[in-house]
Amino acid sequence: MKPAKFDYHSPTTLEAAVALLHDYKGDARLLAGGQSLLPLMNFRLITPAALVDLNRIPDIAYIRADDGILHIGAMTRHRALEFSPIVAGRLPVLTEAIKLVAHLPIRSRGTIGGSLALADPAAELPMLLQVLEGEVVAQGPNGTRVIKAADLFEGIMTTTLAADEILCEVRLPTPSPNAGFAVEEYARRRGDFAIAAVTAIVERAGAQCKKARLATAGVGAMSIRLTAAEAVLEGSGLEDEAIDGAAAKAADQVSPQTDIHATADYRRHLTGILTARALRRARSMH
Ligand SMILES: Cc1cc2nc3c(=O)[nH]c(=O)nc-3n(C[C@H](O)[C@H](O)[C@H](O)COP(=O)(O)OP(=O)(O)OC[C@H]3O[C@@H](n4cnc5c(N)ncnc54)[C@H](O)[C@@H]3O)c2cc1C
């Protein structure tokens, strides 16, 4: 199928793009990599009056490290993250996660801003934003504002971004260099969206677990932090018994959905299994 008729604009500044979004009063969509937007339009699941193309705006694709934070421009392609030495050196958990995103052609065009703005519940990048307690910068008609990961996602493919706001930068704190990490995912085929996924980041202090962070993908309306499981680890350490306790809490905390790919019960079961697996692998790193 072909999309319904739409206007096309390719502004060269963020300000002009925001002004166009504002003028269309919520009936325009930003075009980033187009990997999800165009299929949605081709199936006529959405019929925006206009597309505002971000691809001709200079300086919104970059990866910079600064004071323990990675700053990533919204138009940075998945493939650039995958091969970035800065990401590999400072945030290897992102290098691991990005390889699980779709297939090569989609990674070549898809962008970090597009993925976070789309907020697919089964996508890996929202899970990374959550587990790292990152934030995004959004630009709108009244300037910029910073939105914390915990405040960005509202539900299935829904964020707190306004219709005339552009997500322009992603900020990801880099964990301590001696933190262990792991991304564990179950998908039917390599490159498919996750049926369930869990990312773990743990910092040890001797036998204690100084800090544990866990987040999900695929097991609810949006990625969430597994806070009850984190508390078990921070209270009891990273021995097998604590990991098994955390995995049980993780399975309890999620509210998965049943769909054609898997039942809610199966997703809940996978959450426990993947949590334990991710924690054991993260623990073994240091
Ligand atoms: C077959 C297939 C398999 C896939 N598998 C996976 C997978 O396993 N894991 C995964 O994570 N993803 C997967 N994806 C999604 C893909 O990774 C893209 O990241 C995703 O499509 C969105 O990125 P994009 O740059 O293409 O955004 P677009 O498709 O251009 O835009 C998506 C939405 O976000 C809005 N938007 C885009 N940029 C911005 C911005 N800067 N500010 C505000 N709003 C914005 C658009 O208006 C649109 O509504 C898959 C896609 C396909 C087609």
Side-chain angles (χ1 to χ4, degrees):
M1 269 176 79
K2 292 198 166 63
K5 203 166 169 243
F6 59 88
D7 300 339
Y8 172 80
H9 301 276
S10 57
T12 53
T13 64
L14 276 173
E15 291 72 20
V18 167
L20 280 160
L21 292 179
H22 193 67
D23 290 348
Y24 278 92
K25 299 183 172 50
D27 206 10
R29 291 285 185 128
L30 293 166
L31 172 65
Q35 297 304 297
S36 296
L37 181 63
L38 296 184
L40 288 168
M41 289 173 65
N42 287 342
F43 284 117
R44 301 206 179 191
L45 292 169
I46 55 170
T47 53
L51 290 190
V52 177
D53 192 345
L54 292 174
N55 287 276
R56 287 191 176 75
I57 301 178
D59 304 328
I60 48 171
Y62 53 82
I63 302 169
R64 293 183 199 125
D66 163 31
D67 281 347
I69 299 199
L70 222 57
H71 298 254
I72 305 175
M75 284 298 285
T76 306
R77 314 273 170 192
H78 303 328
R79 202 81 175 134
L81 296 173
E82 190 177 345
F83 288 102
S84 160
I86 302 177
V87 175
R90 308 278 185 124
L91 201 53
V93 65
L94 177 55
T95 310
E96 182 174 335
I98 206 75
K99 292 180 200 295
L100 297 168
V101 174
H103 312 279
L104 192 143
I106 294 166
R107 289 204 299 277
S108 301
R109 291 300 300 168
T111 65
I112 190 168
S115 181
L116 294 176
L118 186 69
D120 189 304
E124 288 80 3
L125 289 171
M127 171 171 69
L128 263 283
L129 190 73
Q130 291 281 34
V131 81
L132 293 165
E133 299 173 272
E135 57 192 29
V136 301
V137 181
Q139 184 162 335
N142 302 319
T144 58
R145 69 182 176 118
V146 174
I147 310 171
K148 293 197 175 306
D151 301 323
L152 179 64
F153 305 109
E154 277 195 322
I156 298 178
M157 295 191 172
T158 316
T159 69
T160 53
L161 287 166
D164 56 3
E165 277 185 318
I166 300 177
L167 191 164
C168 45
E169 183 176 276
V170 183
R171 295 178 179 163
L172 299 175
T174 52
S176 135
N178 57 16
F181 63 85
V183 184
E184 288 289 338
E185 172 167 316
Y186 177 71
R188 267 179 205 276
R189 297 166 304 185
R190 190 166 174 80
D192 280 1
F193 275 107
I195 287 179
V198 173
T199 298
I201 301 180
V202 291
E203 263 181 63
R204 302 182 84 145
Q208 304 296 312
C209 173
K210 196 168 135 197
K211 186 171 175 185
R213 290 292 176 268
L214 290 157
T216 61
V219 289
M222 57 190 192
S223 170
I224 57 162
R225 286 249 317 275
L226 295 168
T227 46
E230 294 170 1
V232 171
L233 300 161
E234 288 173 2
S236 310
L238 285 165
E239 297 306 319
D240 282 348
E241 203 181 324
I243 288 183
D244 292 341
K249 288 278 185 203
D252 278 352
Q253 194 187 328
V254 293
S255 307
Q257 68 288 4
T258 292
D259 61 20
I260 54 165
H261 303 296
T263 63
D265 281 349
Y266 183 50
R267 284 191 159 97
R268 186 183 299 287
H269 172 72
L270 282 176
T271 305
I273 300 283
L274 296 174
T275 299
R277 231 179 245 175
L279 286 169
R280 287 199 166 86
R281 191 149 66 83
R283 175 183 69 178
S284 71
M285 289 181 83
H286 294 286

